[in-house]
Amino acid sequence: NSKVIQTPRYLVKGQGQKAKMRCIPEKGHPVVFWYQQNKNNEFKFLINFQNQEVLQQIDMTEKRFSAECPSNSPCSLEIQSSEAGDSALYLCASKQGNTEVFFGKGTRLTVV
Amino acid sequence: GDQVEQSPSALSLHEGTGSALRCNFTTTMRAVQWFQQNSRGSLINLFYLASGTKENGRLKSTFNSKESYSTLHIRDAQLEDSGTYFCAAEVLNNNAPRFGAGTKLSVKP
């Protein structure tokens, strides 16, 4: 029932490598969320956007994570220097307003 | 602290039986969603409620904002209902939904 498209579905990177994943929200959905789901199934909110503007984000003081939602391009989440602990399912979601959130199928990142 | 407390963490049902999952909230929530996550990781939308009760087939969900809880009832469980169920609740519009820890449901023949 979701039309959120995430690519790639699987991503394998070596430690220290850059990892980039993309998300195309549903058409007409201005709000986009990124979550990280770890191996214990816990969801961690990372960042969300309304159109191109950041609404909320966690303290990314590690500076290894960055995200953007440029106009007329897919949203993206990038890890500058991957670490083993970044291995997780990264989920993108979008919504229209006071409505339900729809998730993509996720990008499963494995850092070896 | 945790704002969404989901229980039980695991549940085993025989086909044809039913049970309820619950989420308690430690702060006032504006709306709640329930999802089923399958073995491939895909999150399937089950319900979105700002109040009251909704029913869809063998599933029914209730959200009581004043008493800070939501429930998901499953009746006549089928094998394909197996998976992990999550509730996710919003404090304010456009704030990121906060997820519960999930309930792993196993339906056995």
Side-chain angles (χ1 to χ4, degrees):
Chain A
N1 53 8
S2 170
K3 299 181 182 65
V4 176
I5 299 171
Q6 285 189 250
T7 56
R9 289 293 309 277
Y10 300 93
L11 192 55
V12 180
K13 292 291 177 182
Q15 293 198 50
Q17 289 188 315
K18 197 177 291 189
K20 187 167 185 174
M21 52 205 87
R22 291 174 176 84
C23 171
I24 301 174
E26 279 204 36
K27 192 174 179 180
H29 285 195
V31 181
V32 174
F33 303 88
W34 284 99
Y35 287 85
Q36 178 196 64
Q37 188 182 23
N38 65 22
K39 62 182 180 186
N40 295 321
N41 276 344
E42 294 160 338
F43 283 81
K44 178 180 179 182
F45 165 73
L46 298 177
I47 191 167
N48 68 337
F49 295 83
Q50 179 150 359
N51 297 312
Q52 293 80 52
E53 301 299 318
V54 175
L55 288 179
Q56 300 168 274
Q57 61 182 338
I58 63 166
D59 183 10
M60 289 182 176
T61 54
E62 292 175 88
K63 304 298 183 193
R64 294 187 302 109
F65 287 73
S66 61
E68 60 176 4
C69 267
S71 62
N72 301 318
S73 291
C75 298
S76 64
L77 176 69
E78 188 171 65
I79 305 172
Q80 294 300 319
S81 177
S82 302
E83 297 177 357
D86 298 331
S87 295
L89 181 66
Y90 290 84
L91 289 158
C92 174
S94 71
K95 71 170 189 172
Q96 198 167 32
N98 283 348
T99 61
E100 61 191 306
V101 173
F102 289 91
F103 280 85
K105 295 185 189 298
T107 293
R108 192 169 293 279
L109 172 66
T110 302
V111 181
V112 298
Chain B
D2 288 348
Q3 294 178 304
V4 181
E5 299 163 351
Q6 187 171 345
S7 63
S9 57
L11 181 61
S12 182
L13 294 176
H14 285 290
E15 273 186 298
T17 63
S19 189
L21 286 58
R22 185 177 175 107
C23 284
N24 291 327
F25 311 118
T26 57
T27 192
T28 302
M29 296 298 184
R30 191 193 70 77
V32 66
Q33 269 189 262
W34 284 91
F35 298 92
Q36 179 194 23
Q37 189 170 38
N38 63 23
S39 57
R40 288 161 294 173
S42 295
L43 282 162
I44 300 162
N45 288 33
L46 298 177
F47 293 101
Y48 175 81
L49 301 106
S51 65
T53 297
K54 287 185 179 179
E55 195 161 351
N56 183 5
R58 297 178 291 102
L59 301 179
K60 182 170 75 172
S61 182
T62 296
F63 175 42
N64 188 320
S65 177
K66 284 186 182 176
E67 296 186 20
S68 296
Y69 75 89
S70 178
T71 56
L72 176 69
H73 290 259
I74 301 173
R75 63 175 175 82
D76 188 23
Q78 303 297 305
L79 296 177
E80 61 264 28
D81 295 332
S82 294
T84 305
Y85 289 77
F86 292 94
C87 66
E90 295 173 36
V91 178
L92 294 170
N93 187 31
N94 292 346
N95 271 17
R98 291 166 169 78
F99 278 78
T103 297
K104 185 169 183 179
L105 173 65
S106 300
V107 180
K108 296 176 165 46

